[in-house]
Amino acid sequence: MPELSPRRGVIPAIVAAAAIVALVVAAILVVEHAIPAAPVPRGEETTASGTVDLTCPENEPITQELLSGSTWTMCWRVDPDRGLVLGDVHFAPAGHDPVQVLAELSIGQLEVPYDTGLRNTEDITTQGFGGQQMMSLTETECLGERIETYVPAIGDGTSGGGGERRPVLCQEVVDGGIAYRSSDGDGTEVARRTELRLATISKVGWYEYVSQYTFGSDGSIRSDLGATGDLSPEDYGDDPAHGWPVGPGDTDYATSHSHNAVWRVHWALGGQGGQVVEQYDAAPTGEWGPRSPLVEGGLTRIPRESTAEAADRRWWRVVNPDVLNADGHEISYQVEIGATTPFELTKDHHHDGGDQAGYTVAFTEADDCQLFATANKEGTCGSGVLDFAQDEEELSDVVTWVAVGFHHVARDEDQSPMEMHWQGFTLTPRDLTAQRADLPSAREDVNGKPAETP
């Protein structure tokens, strides 16, 4: 069975006729240079079958095998502010042992500033996605399994107020389309993929938000925020520069606004700690080859807490340099930002750091009190991401803050109810396995440059 193997030092080859002294030296090298596999976090065990047996503090763990044979296992809970929080996320590629990917994943802030400058909300830290804001689900919202948990009526329940068990989490296995298709002289290899989808719904004001996470059979994790509900009747005017006419004639202009979402991704790739962050950039050299311009690219290490902005041909990855796949490559995950409207969170405009208030991603060292991108409730560790990154601490136990904006210019079709619109990003495995996770048997020998056909 293929494995996600820890890095090992080079062990000299030992021939059968070697002297006993050489054997002793080789044994010493093994002891000194072999790096043990990443330790299993407290509260979980790896069973003989390769699955992960998690002990989750609040709910039964989620374990789902997909059509390809790959399996996802994780804990989940409902936080009064952040809503759905996923923890101890593990992925077992088909035919491989499981590897931990994340320590925790949640939304870290949702700001909704209106273009007129008259109104702004910070929905996560003001009202929250949990508690009474989290909606119970019916079979219309969820075609899969509706899972119950205890939801306090007030805060986290410690101050009283009661609560109840309600079906708030939707767990579905959905069709993900074509996984691959490849034809050669020996036939066609083609398969579909299934995905694990987890979702909750939170109602904040006139909007209703779907927090949705999709786990692919290839090891990818897609984080999405969907918005529906109704346009706020309080936010209409007669100014075409700040809105769009919705309704008869040109009198009622629904005010344009932004949905500025920031997610908090706490990594634990191959085990918590020891993570490395790198940024990839590629750019034309100004020279041309025989058929096209030359483009050169490469990686730059980000050793300390910092922020970064999106650019053409740019992406980031979080690496565990101490765990290699079967090809000897360091395992990592790539942060892929889709379509986004650049933004600066309102409270960051006046940050002491100066003009650099906007960011696409930020990397900070994990701290349990640094939970919110702005208006962080624990004042002792900073009010937001820019404070968290300001001391430029060396990175090892990495948290990635991913900012994705959506500028909403309303249209007639948005009333009523409003059509769902989405924003989000994807975490994609890079070299987690030496070949694709759901490798068809006919292509097992294709690894590296394919043999040339005659």
Side-chain angles (χ1 to χ4, degrees):
M1 175 182 293
E3 295 180 353
L4 295 166
S5 306
R7 182 190 294 274
R8 297 184 181 274
V10 176
I11 302 176
I14 303 174
V15 297
I20 295 178
V21 173
L23 292 173
V24 172
V25 171
I28 292 174
L29 285 173
V30 170
V31 171
E32 290 184 343
H33 293 287
I35 296 178
V40 176
R42 187 175 301 171
E44 67 183 51
E45 297 179 355
T46 301
T47 65
S49 63
T51 59
V52 178
D53 184 15
L54 287 181
T55 300
C56 302
E58 295 189 22
N59 299 294
E60 289 297 316
I62 293 171
T63 299
Q64 183 65 62
E65 182 177 346
L66 300 174
L67 182 64
S68 67
S70 296
T71 301
W72 286 97
T73 307
M74 68 198 73
C75 297
W76 72 281
R77 63 187 178 89
V78 174
D79 181 87
D81 297 305
R82 294 181 288 165
L84 178 59
V85 177
L86 304 177
D88 286 338
V89 179
H90 289 71
F91 177 61
H96 294 72
D97 291 333
V99 59
Q100 187 175 8
V101 178
L102 301 176
E104 191 174 85
L105 174 61
S106 72
I107 196 165
Q109 188 56 281
L110 174 62
E111 177 193 72
V112 187
Y114 281 75
D115 288 10
T116 56
L118 298 176
R119 198 160 78 89
N120 183 30
T121 62
E122 290 171 311
D123 290 343
I124 299 301
T125 49
T126 301
Q127 296 193 55
F129 270 15
Q132 293 303 300
Q133 279 70 247
M134 181 161 284
M135 301 290 96
S136 298
L137 303 177
T138 70
E139 61 182 10
T140 302
E141 292 102 344
C142 179
L143 300 180
E145 182 180 1
R146 301 186 301 277
I147 305 177
E148 292 185 350
T149 190
Y150 180 79
V151 181
I154 301 175
D156 61 4
T158 57
S159 59
E164 59 182 333
R165 291 190 64 83
R166 297 195 281 116
V168 297
L169 178 68
C170 179
Q171 177 180 342
E172 297 177 285
V173 175
V174 298
D175 178 71
I178 297 174
Y180 58 78
R181 188 186 190 281
S182 178
S183 301
D184 60 17
D186 296 327
T188 300
E189 294 295 332
V190 61
R192 299 189 71 84
R193 58 182 279 168
T194 56
E195 300 171 330
L196 167 64
R197 182 172 294 169
L198 303 175
T200 58
I201 300 176
S202 302
K203 180 175 174 56
V204 181
W206 290 92
Y207 267 89
E208 303 196 18
Y209 294 100
V210 178
S211 295
Q212 180 172 284
Y213 298 95
T214 304
F215 299 86
S217 57
D218 62 341
S220 62
I221 303 172
R222 174 75 189 177
S223 300
D224 287 300
L225 181 68
T228 181
D230 286 278
L231 296 170
S232 168
E234 304 169 13
D235 296 291
Y236 278 77
D238 57 4
D239 184 359
H242 297 111
W244 194 270
V246 175
D250 293 329
T251 57
D252 294 334
Y253 283 80
T255 304
S256 302
H257 53 279
S258 295
H259 297 265
N260 296 334
V262 183
W263 281 265
R264 182 181 184 271
V265 185
H266 183 187
W267 295 93
L269 185 56
Q272 201 164 323
Q275 315 289 297
V276 170
V277 178
E278 295 176 332
Q279 176 176 296
Y280 178 89
D281 284 285
T285 65
E287 300 178 355
W288 279 72
R291 301 287 296 276
S292 62
L294 299 182
V295 178
E296 292 183 353
L299 293 165
T300 302
R301 174 83 175 270
I302 301 178
R304 297 185 176 276
E305 295 176 320
S306 62
T307 63
E309 295 188 11
D312 291 342
R313 305 183 184 89
R314 172 175 290 173
W315 44 265
W316 301 268
R317 72 169 188 160
V318 175
V319 187
N320 187 331
D322 290 332
V323 181
L324 308 181
N325 68 17
D327 280 348
H329 301 150
E330 298 168 345
I331 67 170
S332 69
Y333 261 75
Q334 179 173 325
V335 181
E336 297 182 357
I337 310 296
T340 178
T341 301
F343 64 86
E344 297 176 0
L345 292 163
T346 304
K347 289 187 178 178
D348 288 345
H349 277 274
H350 310 292
H351 191 267
D352 294 338
D355 296 334
Q356 298 299 316
Y359 58 88
T360 305
V361 297
F363 302 97
T364 62
E365 187 70 1
D367 186 321
D368 289 342
C369 86
Q370 296 177 352
L371 298 179
F372 305 99
T374 59
N376 191 60
K377 298 185 177 184
E378 298 288 344
T380 58
C381 62
S383 62
V385 169
L386 298 185
D387 281 344
F388 305 159
Q390 197 167 31
D391 58 1
E392 298 182 352
E393 187 176 348
E394 187 174 355
L395 292 171
S396 175
D397 190 3
V398 177
V399 170
T400 302
W401 303 84
V402 185
V404 181
F406 174 76
H407 187 234
H408 186 190
V409 180
R411 57 195 180 121
D412 278 341
E413 291 87 348
D414 281 336
Q415 58 177 11
S416 162
M418 190 187 318
E419 188 70 19
M420 187 80 70
H421 45 280
W422 295 92
Q423 61 197 97
F425 66 99
T426 302
L427 307 175
T428 303
R430 175 171 286 274
D431 308 331
L432 188 67
T433 51
Q435 295 165 278
R436 63 173 301 120
D438 52 352
L439 184 66
S441 58
R443 301 295 174 88
E444 289 179 351
D445 60 343
V446 181
N447 186 21
K449 183 179 179 179
E452 296 185 13
T453 56

